[in-house]
Amino acid sequence: MGYSRRIVCIANSRKNSGRCVAGKEFSQDSNFGNWVRPVSSRPTQEISIEERRYQNGEDPKLLDIITIQLIGHVPHAYQQENHLIDANHYWIKQGSVGWHELDAATEQFNGQLWVDGHHSYNGLNDRIPENDTLTLANSLTLQETEDLVITVRPEGIYPKRKVRAVFSLGQKKYILAVTDPVVETKYLQGPDGEYPVGRSRLCISIGEPFQGYCYKLVAGIITP
């Protein structure tokens, strides 16, 4: 039997040909609950534009309050937050929250993001060996940083410009790829370089396995 979840949208990031949407349950008395990642029945589970848009055609934005019809809880490995959508129903926007209301959803940094110490060529503490994810109980977190810097520069053998988030949590520094499409579009429109942002809340997600590693991604960036 189907059910619905009312969430605050904290990520609407690019994934394959669609989006990875995630948020925290939000009760009628404005309390935050568990993480929910609505997923499709496709093998890679991304949400298409038709599946996620509102009846008026708008795409969900960060901090929207959304009610989503779901079919079942479909946890997969470390992605325990996944729920299969009922694609026959529109998503319903029921308002939005502000920066200060998100205080209660922001999580305590416990000294590392799941597993630290593994770096890609252009990242820092940005990936986890796939075997090390077997003991993880979740794949989403909302963290606050005071020193976010966005960088734009070419990467790869056949260089393409990539947007990354450079930030600190506690005494740890991180350099993670950004998959928030609004942020990507904004910074790719300018020249390569470093762009100080400062205080921010970051939705960080663990992506699908790739060549033996699972990468930490900044799936949503929210500023005051």
Side-chain angles (χ1 to χ4, degrees):
M1 185 172 177
Y3 55 96
S4 66
R5 288 289 185 269
R6 185 173 185 258
I7 69 169
V8 171
C9 181
I10 303 177
N12 183 359
S13 68
R14 58 174 175 78
K15 180 180 181 181
N16 299 320
S17 60
R19 294 287 177 85
C20 175
V21 178
K24 282 196 170 187
E25 291 187 60
F26 194 62
S27 68
Q28 295 293 340
D29 53 358
S30 301
N31 289 319
F32 285 96
N34 295 327
W35 281 100
V36 172
R37 180 190 284 111
V39 298
S40 73
S41 57
R42 296 178 189 83
T44 47
Q45 298 186 312
E46 72 269 19
I47 302 288
S48 72
I49 187 169
E50 291 83 7
E51 291 165 339
R52 70 180 182 266
R53 66 186 172 190
Y54 304 137
Q55 191 165 3
N56 65 3
E58 289 184 5
D59 200 50
K61 297 179 176 62
L62 299 190
L63 303 187
D64 281 0
I65 303 169
I66 311 168
T67 295
I68 303 172
Q69 288 297 129
L70 302 163
I71 293 174
H73 184 211
V74 287
H76 174 66
Y78 48 88
Q79 292 188 345
Q80 295 293 306
E81 308 91 346
N82 296 2
H83 292 255
L84 180 64
I85 62 166
D86 185 339
N88 295 314
H89 293 267
Y90 283 110
W91 293 12
I92 301 171
K93 180 177 177 179
Q94 297 188 312
S96 60
V97 303
W99 170 269
H100 293 294
E101 291 170 275
L102 211 59
D103 289 352
T106 305
E107 298 165 21
Q108 188 88 19
F109 180 63
N110 66 3
Q112 62 179 356
L113 287 177
W114 298 288
V115 177
D116 286 341
H118 303 274
H119 325 294
S120 68
Y121 186 78
N122 294 288
L124 185 68
N125 289 314
D126 67 326
R127 64 184 187 177
I128 304 170
E130 188 175 352
N131 286 342
D132 288 356
T133 66
L134 299 177
T135 59
L136 300 182
N138 61 71
S139 64
L140 290 160
T141 185
L142 181 65
Q143 297 287 330
E144 183 168 332
T145 183
E146 298 291 336
D147 62 356
L148 176 66
V149 175
I150 297 294
T151 65
V152 183
R153 57 174 54 96
E155 294 183 11
I157 299 172
Y158 304 102
K160 288 191 174 182
R161 302 172 75 221
K162 193 174 186 74
V163 179
R164 288 190 180 269
V166 182
F167 60 95
S168 298
L169 296 173
Q171 302 301 312
K172 286 278 187 72
K173 185 175 180 181
Y174 296 88
I175 303 176
L176 310 185
V178 173
T179 57
D180 180 327
V182 174
V183 173
E184 281 187 306
T185 298
K186 174 183 176 179
Y187 287 98
L188 287 173
Q189 288 174 344
D192 294 349
E194 298 184 354
Y195 300 88
V197 177
R199 188 182 182 196
S200 310
R201 287 178 176 144
L202 310 178
C203 178
I204 302 169
S205 174
I206 306 176
E208 303 292 335
F210 178 72
Q211 295 183 351
Y213 288 93
C214 300
Y215 285 79
K216 305 170 193 175
L217 307 168
V218 176
I221 297 177
I222 301 163
T223 59

